[in-house]
Amino acid sequence: MIDFHTHIIPNIDDGSRSIEETFNLIKEAKEVGFDGIVLTSHYIENYYETNSPERDVWVKAISDNLKTTGIETDLYLANEIYLSDNMMNLLIEGKASTINNSSYVLFEMPLNVEPMNLYDVIYSLQENKIIPVLAHPERYSFVQKEPELINDLIEKGVLMQANYGSILGQYGEKAQIIVKKFFEANMIHFLGSDVHRQNTIYKRIPKALNEIRNIVGPEKLEELTTKNPMLALSNKKIRIEEPDEVKLSFKEKLTMYLKK
């Protein structure tokens, strides 16, 4: 399996706080079955701005150290880029990274407000042959209320990465309900831990895998955890199946609109 979303490089965002924690996180990942880890440190303009060459040095240093300790884990350079009008320029200038220098890029949105420039930024990326991958769509409050937005984005060529913890309720009941609907409607293309700290989500991965397997089946689970990530890392095309419509029950709609 490949963990498609992590914050493991030390001291460059709100993830790992030390090199020791970094190696502990990698060991935890290995123990639960991850043979590859995509290092998607935050890139947020004027806040987290460690550029690609600096992060590449980290990736190589960590990889070399792993080899000397006999831990066989492949690490891949990437970013989780906060949506901005300048996103394409950040990639062109080498400040932010696509996934393993491929055509795929992981991005995130504000959690509580739908960005006015969303479609403009997506169009700008696609004009430059970049394939956008939206991080954890189930976590955005405006998506929870209007999940059809994700249908629309998928139709426009945006891929979706869900967090393992969402199906376990890590981000609340709303995210848990919506991510299950997304799995059922064939709207998720990658899975990631979004790990920031040791002794957190990695220990719960086996349970999350069981929950997701029960929804999508073993073949689809392998696609989300291994096949699609390998295609992206190899810069190969991923076949996007047409998603089904997300249908919320009356009770689920009440949860989305009334619960805090």
Side-chain angles (χ1 to χ4, degrees), residues 198-209:
Q198 63 191 70
N199 299 314
T200 56
I201 184 58
Y202 279 137
K203 296 184 180 299
R204 305 182 74 196
I205 291 294
K207 184 177 180 182
L209 286 169

Side-chain angles (χ1 to χ4, degrees), residues 43-56:
Y43 194 99
I44 303 175
E45 289 182 280
N46 303 314
Y47 201 70
Y48 295 127
E49 293 190 315
T50 304
N51 64 29
S52 296
E54 290 179 74
R55 283 180 291 103
D56 195 34

Side-chain angles (χ1 to χ4, degrees), residues 230-242:
M230 281 306 304
L231 288 171
L233 290 165
S234 303
N235 204 26
K236 294 179 180 177
K237 187 174 181 179
I238 293 171
R239 182 173 59 90
I240 303 178
E241 299 173 13
E242 186 174 345

Side-chain angles (χ1 to χ4, degrees), residues 2-6 38 40 99 106 133 161 190-192 229 232-233:
I2 295 167
D3 191 351
F4 208 71
H5 181 169
T6 68
V38 185
T40 55
I99 294 164
L106 186 70
V133 180
Q161 173 263 306
F190 305 98
L191 288 167
L233 290 165

Side-chain angles (χ1 to χ4, degrees), residues 60-217:
K60 288 176 181 174
I62 295 167
S63 296
D64 289 345
N65 192 283
L66 288 176
K67 288 175 185 175
T68 64
T69 57
I71 300 174
E72 295 183 11
T73 303
D74 294 318
L75 304 180
Y76 304 95
L77 180 66
N79 269 126
E80 179 186 18
I81 307 174
Y82 194 81
L83 186 85
S84 80
D85 292 325
N86 199 34
M87 210 164 135
M88 193 62 229
N89 286 334
L90 296 175
L91 295 170
I92 291 170
E93 294 167 7
K95 293 179 179 178
S97 306
T98 60
I99 294 164
N100 197 37
N101 201 33
S102 70
S103 298
Y104 294 83
V105 67
L106 186 70
F107 77 99
E108 64 176 331
M109 303 187 291
L111 283 175
N112 297 311
V113 181
E114 182 178 350
M116 298 289 289
N117 60 343
L118 174 60
Y119 287 94
D120 291 335
V121 174
I122 287 169
Y123 179 71
S124 168
L125 293 171
Q126 292 174 333
E127 257 193 328
N128 287 275
K129 311 298 182 187
I130 298 294
I131 302 165
V133 180
L134 178 60
H136 44 64
E138 70 277 6
R139 292 186 60 197
Y140 304 106
S141 60
F142 52 93
V143 167
Q144 292 165 358
K145 292 178 180 177
E146 297 184 28
E148 57 270 20
L149 170 64
I150 301 305
N151 285 76
D152 189 49
L153 291 176
I154 293 172
E155 286 178 8
K156 288 178 168 55
V158 181
L159 302 181
M160 300 293 152
Q161 173 263 306
N163 283 3
Y164 283 101
S166 296
I167 198 66
L168 302 175
Q170 180 178 341
Y171 306 99
E173 185 181 6
K174 295 179 183 180
Q176 187 176 27
I177 291 170
I178 288 294
V179 81
K180 184 178 180 183
K181 297 292 183 181
F182 286 164
F183 284 128
E184 291 172 345
N186 196 30
M187 295 169 71
I188 300 300
H189 308 98
F190 305 98
L191 288 167
S193 68
D194 200 357
V195 69
H196 284 66
R197 296 281 179 270
Q198 63 191 70
N199 299 314
T200 56
I201 184 58
Y202 279 137
K203 296 184 180 299
R204 305 182 74 196
I205 291 294
K207 184 177 180 182
L209 286 169
N210 283 335
E211 293 284 343
I212 297 166
R213 186 184 295 108
N214 288 338
I215 300 168
V216 304

